[in-house]
Amino acid sequence: MQVSITNTATRYGWAMIVLHWLIGVIFIGQFVLGFVMMRIESQRMSFELIQLHKSFGFLLLGL
């Protein structure tokens, strides 16, 4: 069985498979990051995590 880069009539290509799992990992990571950033005491670290959370959110929206 060979998986090509493009989709076929019976199977998704490896590019779509990788994109699917990348979106899933970022989506779950957003929840984890959201819980962590709300429980951090340091305002500086919390601000940095919020900025990271927003960046990953826009990346997720774009994907």
Side-chain angles (χ1 to χ4, degrees):
M1 181 169 94
Q2 183 181 5
V3 179
S4 68
I5 192 171
T6 59
N7 298 338
T8 64
T10 59
R11 186 159 172 84
Y12 288 111
W14 67 265
M16 287 296 110
I17 294 171
V18 169
L19 185 62
H20 170 84
W21 285 105
L22 178 65
I23 290 171
V25 167
I26 294 173
F27 187 78
I28 292 169
Q30 281 288 79
F31 280 105
V32 173
L33 186 58
F35 286 124
V36 169
M37 73 182 184
M38 297 307 290
R39 287 166 177 74
I40 296 289
E41 293 294 322
S42 168
Q43 284 186 338
R44 177 71 180 161
M45 179 62 81
S46 181
F47 177 77
E48 295 294 330
L49 291 177
I50 289 169
Q51 298 306 312
L52 188 63
H53 183 76
K54 287 195 295 188
S55 296
F56 277 118
F58 280 116
L59 175 65
L60 192 59
L61 180 66
L63 291 175

Coordinates of all heavy atoms in Angstrom, one line a residue:
M1 N 0.8 -1.2 0.0 CA 0.0 0.0 0.0 C 0.9 1.2 0.0 O 1.8 1.4 0.8 CB -0.9 0.0 1.3 CG -1.8 1.2 1.3 SD -3.0 1.0 2.6 CE -2.2 1.8 3.9
Q2 N 0.6 2.1 -0.9 CA 1.4 3.3 -1.1 C 0.5 4.5 -0.9 O -0.5 4.6 -1.6 CB 2.1 3.4 -2.4 CG 3.0 4.6 -2.6 CD 3.6 4.5 -4.0 OE1 3.3 3.7 -4.8 NE2 4.5 5.5 -4.3
V3 N 0.9 5.5 -0.1 CA 0.2 6.7 0.2 C 0.8 7.8 -0.6 O 2.0 8.1 -0.4 CB 0.1 7.0 1.7 CG1 -0.7 8.3 1.9 CG2 -0.6 5.9 2.4
S4 N 0.1 8.4 -1.5 CA 0.7 9.5 -2.3 C 0.4 10.9 -1.6 O -0.3 11.0 -0.6 CB 0.1 9.5 -3.7 OG -1.3 9.9 -3.6
I5 N 1.1 11.9 -2.1 CA 0.9 13.2 -1.6 C -0.5 13.8 -1.8 O -1.0 14.6 -1.0 CB 2.0 14.2 -2.1 CG1 2.0 15.5 -1.3 CG2 1.8 14.5 -3.5 CD1 3.2 16.3 -1.5
T6 N -1.1 13.4 -2.9 CA -2.4 13.9 -3.3 C -3.5 12.9 -2.9 O -3.2 11.7 -2.8 CB -2.5 14.2 -4.8 OG1 -2.2 13.0 -5.5 CG2 -1.5 15.3 -5.2
N7 N -4.7 13.4 -2.8 CA -5.8 12.5 -2.6 C -6.2 11.7 -3.8 O -6.0 12.1 -4.9 CB -7.1 13.4 -2.2 CG -6.9 14.2 -0.9 OD1 -6.0 13.9 -0.1 ND2 -7.6 15.2 -0.8
T8 N -6.7 10.5 -3.5 CA -7.2 9.6 -4.6 C -8.7 9.4 -4.3 O -9.2 9.9 -3.4 CB -6.5 8.3 -4.6 OG1 -6.7 7.6 -3.4 CG2 -5.0 8.4 -4.7
A9 N -9.3 8.6 -5.2 CA -10.7 8.4 -5.0 C -11.1 7.6 -3.8 O -12.2 7.7 -3.2 CB -11.3 7.7 -6.3
T10 N -10.1 6.8 -3.3 CA -10.4 5.9 -2.1 C -9.6 6.3 -0.9 O -9.8 5.7 0.2 CB -10.0 4.5 -2.5 OG1 -8.6 4.4 -2.9 CG2 -10.9 4.0 -3.6
R11 N -8.6 7.2 -1.0 CA -7.8 7.5 0.2 C -7.3 8.9 0.2 O -7.0 9.5 -0.9 CB -6.6 6.5 0.2 CG -5.7 6.6 1.4 CD -4.9 5.4 1.5 NE -3.9 5.5 2.5 CZ -4.2 5.3 3.8 NH1 -5.4 4.9 4.2 NH2 -3.2 5.4 4.7
Y12 N -7.1 9.5 1.4 CA -6.5 10.8 1.5 C -5.0 10.7 1.3 O -4.4 9.7 1.7 CB -6.8 11.4 2.9 CG -8.3 11.9 3.0 CD1 -9.1 11.2 3.9 CD2 -8.7 13.0 2.3 CE1 -10.4 11.7 4.1 CE2 -10.1 13.4 2.5 CZ -10.9 12.7 3.3 OH -12.2 13.2 3.5
G13 N -4.4 11.7 0.8 CA -3.0 11.8 0.6 C -2.3 12.1 2.0 O -2.9 12.5 2.9
W14 N -1.0 11.9 2.0 CA -0.3 12.1 3.3 C -0.3 13.6 3.7 O -0.2 13.9 4.9 CB 1.1 11.5 3.2 CG 2.1 12.2 2.3 CD1 2.4 11.8 1.1 CD2 2.9 13.4 2.6 NE1 3.3 12.7 0.5 CE2 3.6 13.6 1.4 CE3 3.0 14.2 3.7 CZ2 4.5 14.7 1.4 CZ3 3.9 15.3 3.6 CH2 4.6 15.5 2.5
A15 N -0.4 14.5 2.8 CA -0.5 15.9 3.1 C -1.7 16.2 3.9 O -1.7 16.9 4.9 CB -0.4 16.8 1.9
M16 N -2.8 15.7 3.5 CA -4.1 15.9 4.3 C -4.1 15.1 5.6 O -4.6 15.6 6.6 CB -5.3 15.4 3.5 CG -5.6 16.3 2.3 SD -6.1 17.9 2.8 CE -4.7 18.9 2.3
I17 N -3.4 14.0 5.7 CA -3.3 13.2 6.9 C -2.5 14.0 7.9 O -2.9 14.2 9.1 CB -2.8 11.8 6.7 CG1 -3.7 11.0 5.8 CG2 -2.4 11.1 8.0 CD1 -3.2 9.7 5.3
V18 N -1.4 14.5 7.5 CA -0.5 15.3 8.4 C -1.2 16.6 8.8 O -1.2 17.0 10.0 CB 0.9 15.6 7.7 CG1 1.6 16.7 8.5 CG2 1.7 14.4 7.5
L19 N -1.9 17.3 7.9 CA -2.6 18.5 8.2 C -3.7 18.2 9.3 O -3.9 19.0 10.2 CB -3.2 19.1 7.0 CG -3.9 20.5 7.2 CD1 -2.9 21.5 7.7 CD2 -4.5 20.9 5.8
H20 N -4.4 17.1 9.1 CA -5.5 16.7 10.0 C -4.9 16.5 11.4 O -5.5 17.1 12.4 CB -6.1 15.4 9.6 CG -7.0 14.8 10.5 ND1 -8.3 15.2 10.7 CD2 -6.8 13.8 11.5 CE1 -8.9 14.4 11.6 NE2 -8.0 13.6 12.1
W21 N -3.8 15.8 11.6 CA -3.2 15.5 12.9 C -2.6 16.8 13.5 O -2.6 17.0 14.7 CB -2.3 14.4 12.8 CG -3.0 13.1 12.7 CD1 -3.2 12.3 11.6 CD2 -3.8 12.5 13.8 NE1 -4.0 11.2 11.9 CE2 -4.3 11.3 13.2 CE3 -4.0 12.8 15.1 CZ2 -5.2 10.5 14.0 CZ3 -4.8 11.9 15.9 CH2 -5.4 10.8 15.3
L22 N -2.0 17.7 12.6 CA -1.4 18.9 13.1 C -2.5 19.8 13.7 O -2.3 20.4 14.8 CB -0.7 19.6 12.0 CG -0.1 21.0 12.3 CD1 1.0 20.8 13.3 CD2 0.4 21.7 11.0
I23 N -3.7 19.9 13.1 CA -4.8 20.7 13.6 C -5.3 20.1 14.9 O -5.5 20.8 15.9 CB -5.9 20.8 12.5 CG1 -5.5 21.7 11.4 CG2 -7.2 21.3 13.2 CD1 -6.4 21.6 10.2
G24 N -5.3 18.8 15.0 CA -5.8 18.1 16.2 C -4.9 18.4 17.4 O -5.3 18.7 18.5
V25 N -3.6 18.3 17.1 CA -2.6 18.6 18.2 C -2.6 20.0 18.7 O -2.6 20.3 19.9 CB -1.2 18.2 17.7 CG1 -0.1 18.7 18.6 CG2 -1.0 16.7 17.6
I26 N -2.7 21.0 17.7 CA -2.8 22.4 18.1 C -4.1 22.7 18.9 O -4.1 23.4 19.8 CB -2.7 23.3 16.8 CG1 -1.3 23.2 16.2 CG2 -3.0 24.7 17.2 CD1 -1.2 23.9 14.9
F27 N -5.2 22.0 18.5 CA -6.5 22.2 19.1 C -6.4 21.8 20.6 O -6.8 22.5 21.5 CB -7.6 21.5 18.4 CG -9.0 21.7 18.8 CD1 -9.6 22.9 18.5 CD2 -9.6 20.8 19.6 CE1 -10.9 23.1 18.9 CE2 -10.9 21.0 20.1 CZ -11.5 22.2 19.8
I28 N -5.9 20.6 20.8 CA -5.7 20.1 22.2 C -4.7 20.9 23.0 O -4.9 21.2 24.1 CB -5.4 18.6 22.2 CG1 -6.5 17.8 21.6 CG2 -5.0 18.1 23.5 CD1 -6.2 16.3 21.3
G29 N -3.7 21.3 22.3 CA -2.7 22.2 22.9 C -3.2 23.5 23.4 O -2.8 24.1 24.4
Q30 N -4.2 24.0 22.6 CA -4.8 25.3 23.0 C -5.6 25.2 24.3 O -5.5 26.1 25.2 CB -5.8 25.8 21.9 CG -5.1 26.4 20.7 CD -4.6 27.8 21.1 OE1 -3.6 27.9 21.6 NE2 -5.4 28.8 20.7
F31 N -6.3 24.0 24.5 CA -6.9 23.8 25.8 C -5.9 23.7 27.0 O -6.1 24.3 28.0 CB -7.8 22.6 25.8 CG -9.1 22.8 25.1 CD1 -9.3 22.3 23.8 CD2 -10.1 23.4 25.7 CE1 -10.5 22.4 23.2 CE2 -11.4 23.6 25.0 CZ -11.5 23.1 23.8
V32 N -4.9 23.0 26.8 CA -3.9 22.8 27.8 C -3.2 24.2 28.1 O -3.1 24.5 29.3 CB -2.8 21.8 27.4 CG1 -1.6 21.8 28.3 CG2 -3.4 20.4 27.2
L33 N -2.9 24.9 27.1 CA -2.3 26.2 27.3 C -3.2 27.2 28.0 O -2.8 27.9 28.8 CB -1.8 26.8 25.9 CG -1.0 28.1 25.9 CD1 0.2 27.9 26.7 CD2 -0.7 28.5 24.5
G34 N -4.5 27.1 27.7 CA -5.5 27.9 28.3 C -5.6 27.6 29.8 O -5.7 28.6 30.6
F35 N -5.6 26.4 30.2 CA -5.7 26.0 31.6 C -4.4 26.4 32.3 O -4.5 26.9 33.4 CB -5.9 24.5 31.8 CG -7.3 24.1 31.5 CD1 -7.5 23.1 30.5 CD2 -8.4 24.7 32.1 CE1 -8.8 22.7 30.2 CE2 -9.7 24.2 31.8 CZ -9.9 23.3 30.9
V36 N -3.3 26.2 31.7 CA -2.0 26.6 32.3 C -1.9 28.1 32.5 O -1.5 28.6 33.6 CB -0.8 26.0 31.5 CG1 0.5 26.6 32.0 CG2 -0.8 24.5 31.6
M37 N -2.2 28.9 31.5 CA -2.0 30.3 31.6 C -2.9 31.0 32.6 O -2.5 32.0 33.1 CB -2.1 31.0 30.2 CG -3.5 31.1 29.7 SD -3.5 31.8 28.1 CE -5.2 31.9 27.8
M38 N -4.0 30.4 32.9 CA -4.9 30.9 33.9 C -4.5 30.6 35.3 O -5.0 31.2 36.3 CB -6.4 30.4 33.7 CG -6.9 30.9 32.3 SD -6.8 32.7 32.0 CE -8.0 33.3 33.2
R39 N -3.6 29.7 35.5 CA -3.2 29.3 36.8 C -1.7 29.7 37.2 O -1.2 29.4 38.2 CB -3.3 27.8 36.9 CG -4.7 27.3 37.0 CD -4.9 25.8 36.8 NE -6.2 25.4 37.0 CZ -7.2 25.6 36.1 NH1 -7.0 26.3 35.0 NH2 -8.4 25.2 36.3
I40 N -1.1 30.5 36.3 CA 0.2 31.0 36.5 C 0.1 32.2 37.4 O -0.7 33.1 37.1 CB 0.9 31.3 35.2 CG1 1.1 30.1 34.4 CG2 2.3 32.0 35.4 CD1 2.2 29.1 34.9
E41 N 1.0 32.3 38.4 CA 1.0 33.5 39.3 C 1.7 34.7 38.7 O 1.3 35.8 38.9 CB 1.6 33.1 40.6 CG 0.8 32.1 41.4 CD -0.5 32.6 41.9 OE1 -0.5 33.8 42.3 OE2 -1.5 31.9 41.9
S42 N 2.8 34.4 38.0 CA 3.6 35.5 37.4 C 2.8 36.2 36.3 O 2.4 35.6 35.3 CB 4.9 35.0 36.9 OG 5.6 35.9 36.1
Q43 N 2.6 37.5 36.4 CA 1.9 38.3 35.4 C 2.7 38.3 34.1 O 2.1 38.2 33.0 CB 1.6 39.7 35.8 CG 0.5 39.8 36.8 CD 0.2 41.2 37.1 OE1 1.0 42.1 36.9 NE2 -1.0 41.5 37.6
R44 N 4.0 38.4 34.2 CA 4.8 38.4 33.0 C 4.7 37.1 32.2 O 4.5 37.1 31.0 CB 6.3 38.7 33.4 CG 7.3 38.6 32.2 CD 7.1 39.8 31.3 NE 8.0 39.8 30.2 CZ 7.9 40.4 29.1 NH1 6.9 41.2 29.0 NH2 8.8 40.4 28.2
M45 N 4.8 36.0 32.9 CA 4.7 34.6 32.3 C 3.3 34.4 31.7 O 3.1 33.9 30.6 CB 5.0 33.5 33.2 CG 4.9 32.1 32.7 SD 6.0 31.8 31.3 CE 7.5 31.5 32.2
S46 N 2.3 34.9 32.5 CA 0.9 34.8 32.0 C 0.7 35.6 30.7 O 0.0 35.1 29.8 CB 0.0 35.3 33.1 OG -1.4 35.2 32.7
F47 N 1.3 36.8 30.7 CA 1.1 37.6 29.5 C 1.8 36.9 28.3 O 1.2 36.9 27.2 CB 1.8 39.0 29.7 CG 1.8 39.8 28.5 CD1 0.6 40.5 28.1 CD2 2.9 40.0 27.7 CE1 0.6 41.3 27.0 CE2 2.9 40.8 26.6 CZ 1.7 41.4 26.2
E48 N 3.0 36.3 28.5 CA 3.6 35.6 27.4 C 2.8 34.4 26.9 O 2.7 34.2 25.7 CB 5.0 35.2 27.8 CG 6.0 36.3 28.2 CD 6.4 37.1 26.9 OE1 6.4 36.5 25.8 OE2 6.6 38.3 27.1
L49 N 2.2 33.7 27.8 CA 1.4 32.5 27.4 C 0.1 33.0 26.7 O -0.3 32.3 25.8 CB 1.1 31.7 28.7 CG 2.2 31.0 29.3 CD1 1.8 30.2 30.6 CD2 2.9 30.0 28.3
I50 N -0.4 34.1 27.1 CA -1.6 34.6 26.4 C -1.3 35.0 25.0 O -2.0 34.7 24.0 CB -2.2 35.8 27.2 CG1 -2.9 35.3 28.5 CG2 -3.2 36.6 26.3 CD1 -3.3 36.5 29.4
Q51 N -0.1 35.6 24.8 CA 0.3 35.9 23.4 C 0.5 34.7 22.6 O 0.2 34.6 21.4 CB 1.6 36.8 23.5 CG 1.4 38.1 24.2 CD 0.3 38.9 23.6 OE1 0.1 39.1 22.4 NE2 -0.6 39.5 24.5
L52 N 1.1 33.7 23.2 CA 1.4 32.4 22.5 C 0.0 31.7 22.2 O -0.2 31.2 21.1 CB 2.2 31.5 23.4 CG 2.7 30.2 22.8 CD1 3.6 30.5 21.6 CD2 3.4 29.4 23.8
H53 N -0.9 31.8 23.1 CA -2.2 31.2 22.9 C -2.9 31.9 21.7 O -3.6 31.2 20.9 CB -3.0 31.4 24.2 CG -4.4 30.8 24.2 ND1 -4.6 29.5 24.2 CD2 -5.6 31.4 24.1 CE1 -5.9 29.2 24.2 NE2 -6.6 30.4 24.1
K54 N -2.8 33.2 21.7 CA -3.5 34.0 20.5 C -2.8 33.6 19.2 O -3.5 33.4 18.2 CB -3.4 35.5 20.8 CG -4.3 36.0 21.9 CD -4.5 37.5 21.8 CE -3.3 38.2 22.2 NZ -3.5 39.7 22.4
S55 N -1.5 33.5 19.2 CA -0.8 33.1 18.0 C -1.2 31.8 17.5 O -1.4 31.6 16.3 CB 0.7 33.2 18.2 OG 1.2 34.5 18.5
F56 N -1.2 30.8 18.4 CA -1.7 29.5 17.9 C -3.1 29.5 17.5 O -3.5 28.7 16.7 CB -1.4 28.4 19.1 CG 0.0 27.9 19.1 CD1 0.8 28.1 20.2 CD2 0.5 27.2 18.0 CE1 2.1 27.6 20.2 CE2 1.8 26.8 18.0 CZ 2.6 27.0 19.1
G57 N -3.9 30.3 18.1 CA -5.4 30.4 17.8 C -5.5 30.9 16.3 O -6.3 30.4 15.6
F58 N -4.7 31.9 16.0 CA -4.8 32.4 14.6 C -4.2 31.4 13.6 O -4.7 31.3 12.5 CB -4.1 33.8 14.5 CG -4.9 34.9 15.0 CD1 -4.5 35.7 16.1 CD2 -6.0 35.3 14.3 CE1 -5.2 36.8 16.5 CE2 -6.8 36.4 14.8 CZ -6.4 37.1 15.9
L59 N -3.2 30.7 14.0 CA -2.7 29.6 13.2 C -3.7 28.6 12.9 O -4.0 28.1 11.8 CB -1.4 29.0 13.8 CG -0.8 27.8 13.0 CD1 -0.3 28.2 11.7 CD2 0.3 27.2 13.9
L60 N -4.4 28.2 14.0 CA -5.5 27.2 13.9 C -6.6 27.7 13.0 O -7.2 26.9 12.2 CB -6.0 26.9 15.3 CG -6.9 25.7 15.5 CD1 -6.2 24.4 15.0 CD2 -7.3 25.6 16.9
L61 N -7.0 29.0 13.2 CA -8.0 29.5 12.3 C -7.6 29.5 10.8 O -8.4 29.2 9.9 CB -8.3 31.0 12.7 CG -9.4 31.7 12.0 CD1 -10.7 31.1 12.2 CD2 -9.4 33.2 12.4
G62 N -6.3 29.8 10.6 CA -5.8 29.8 9.2 C -5.8 28.4 8.6 O -6.1 28.2 7.4
L63 N -5.5 27.4 9.4 CA -5.4 26.1 8.9 C -6.8 25.5 8.7 O -7.1 24.8 7.8 CB -4.7 25.1 9.9 CG -3.2 25.4 10.0 CD1 -2.6 24.5 11.1 CD2 -2.5 25.1 8.7

